């Protein structure tokens, strides 16, 4: 339980069991339903749906991905960055799904669980972070890029079998994960902004300085122009 990846997996199992027990009453309030977010102002749903899966296999598979893939990412990223990425990507994917439901009305009535959205985002992020470095997929040697493509394939198969509207949050999660690995996250852009602002400030302070020409008729040991 000291691992952030294990805590995410346990939270997913607990949230999914709670949803199953309250399915006939208040369980649906834990899912992401764009119509409820926009109409009833159930603003907690983009967060609570992160820890809910609606099928036993979805719970097991998503928890395993969070535990194993999340644990591997945690070793290189650290627990804080892992949790920030996992929750941030899933929450933003949910918010974008709600925004997209405004122009796609059938999307507003669907109820989404976000455990797999979080899991597939970590999967793709882990694969892209490896790049051409070799890893294994159930004992098969593959590169990190191929592993990421396998994750994309899972989402495409799910959409082909169960409908493309149901995989909208997963697709958005994939895109956000790929963008994070290729372009960088908010913390990287904030550091770049801070660096740009510091360079600009230093250039502004140096404008009043003047270069002393080397042919000035002054003794070599003179300290007249040191300041």
């Amino acid at each position: 339980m000291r691992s952030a990846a294990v805590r995410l997996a346990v939270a997913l199992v607990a949230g999914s069991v709670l949803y199953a027990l309250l399915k006939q009453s208040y369980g649906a309030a834990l899912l992401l339903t764009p119509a409820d977010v926009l109409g009833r102002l159930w603003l907690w749903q983009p967060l609570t749906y992160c820890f809910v899966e609606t099928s036993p296999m979805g719970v097991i598979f998503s928890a395993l991905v969070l535990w194993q893939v999340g644990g591997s990412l945690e070793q290189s990223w650290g627990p804080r960055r892992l949790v920030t990425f996992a929750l941030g990507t899933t929450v933003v994917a949910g918010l974008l799904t709600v925004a997209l439901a405004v122009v796609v009305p059938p999307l507003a009535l669907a109820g989404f669980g976000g455990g797999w959205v979080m899991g597939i985002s970590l999967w793709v992020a882990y694969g892209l972070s490896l790049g051409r470095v070799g890893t294994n997929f159930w004992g098969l040697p593959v590169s990190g890029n191929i592993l990421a493509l396998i994750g994309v394939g899972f989402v495409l198969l799910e959409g082909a079998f169960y409908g493309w509207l149901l995989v909208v949050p997963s697709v958005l999660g994939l895109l956000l994960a790929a963008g994070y690995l290729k372009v960088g996250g908010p913390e990287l852009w904030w550091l770049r902004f801070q660096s740009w602002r510091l360079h600009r400030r230093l250039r502004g302070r140096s404008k009043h300085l003047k270069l002393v020409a080397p042919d000035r008729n002054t003794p070599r040991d003179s300290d007249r122009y040191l300041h």
Side-chain angles (χ1 to χ4, degrees), residues 7 36 100 121 152:
R7 293 176 183 176
D36 291 336
L100 190 60
S121 300
V152 175

Side-chain angles (χ1 to χ4, degrees), residues 14-145:
S16 301
V17 171
L18 181 63
Y19 161 78
L21 294 176
L22 301 178
K23 188 175 181 180
Q24 301 302 325
S25 54
Y26 301 104
L30 300 176
L31 299 176
L32 176 67
T33 305
D36 291 336
V37 177
L38 297 173
R40 300 183 180 182
L41 296 181
W42 289 1
L43 303 180
W44 63 83
Q45 289 190 345
L47 178 62
T48 57
Y49 97 112
C50 299
F51 302 103
V52 176
E53 268 300 315
T54 57
S55 67
M57 288 303 299
V59 174
I60 295 172
F61 197 65
S62 298
L64 286 175
V65 171
L66 291 179
W67 171 37
Q68 296 182 345
V69 177
S72 299
L73 279 175
E74 185 176 0
Q75 291 180 1
S76 57
W77 286 2
R80 181 177 179 180
R81 184 181 177 189
L82 171 70
V83 174
T84 301
F85 172 82
L87 293 181
T89 301
T90 312
V91 169
V92 172
L95 294 174
L96 292 177
T97 301
V98 173
L100 190 60
V102 176
V103 295
V104 184
L107 193 62
L109 301 178
F112 301 99
W116 178 235
V117 179
M118 188 187 306
I120 198 61
S121 300
L122 291 177
W123 182 312
V124 171
Y126 177 65
L128 293 179
S129 66
L130 292 177
R132 297 182 180 180
V133 177
T135 182
N136 72 84
F137 173 69
W138 287 344
L140 299 176
V142 295
S143 67
N145 292 329

Side-chain angles (χ1 to χ4, degrees), residues 23 83 162 212 226:
K23 188 175 181 180
V83 174
Y162 301 111
V212 178
L226 290 180

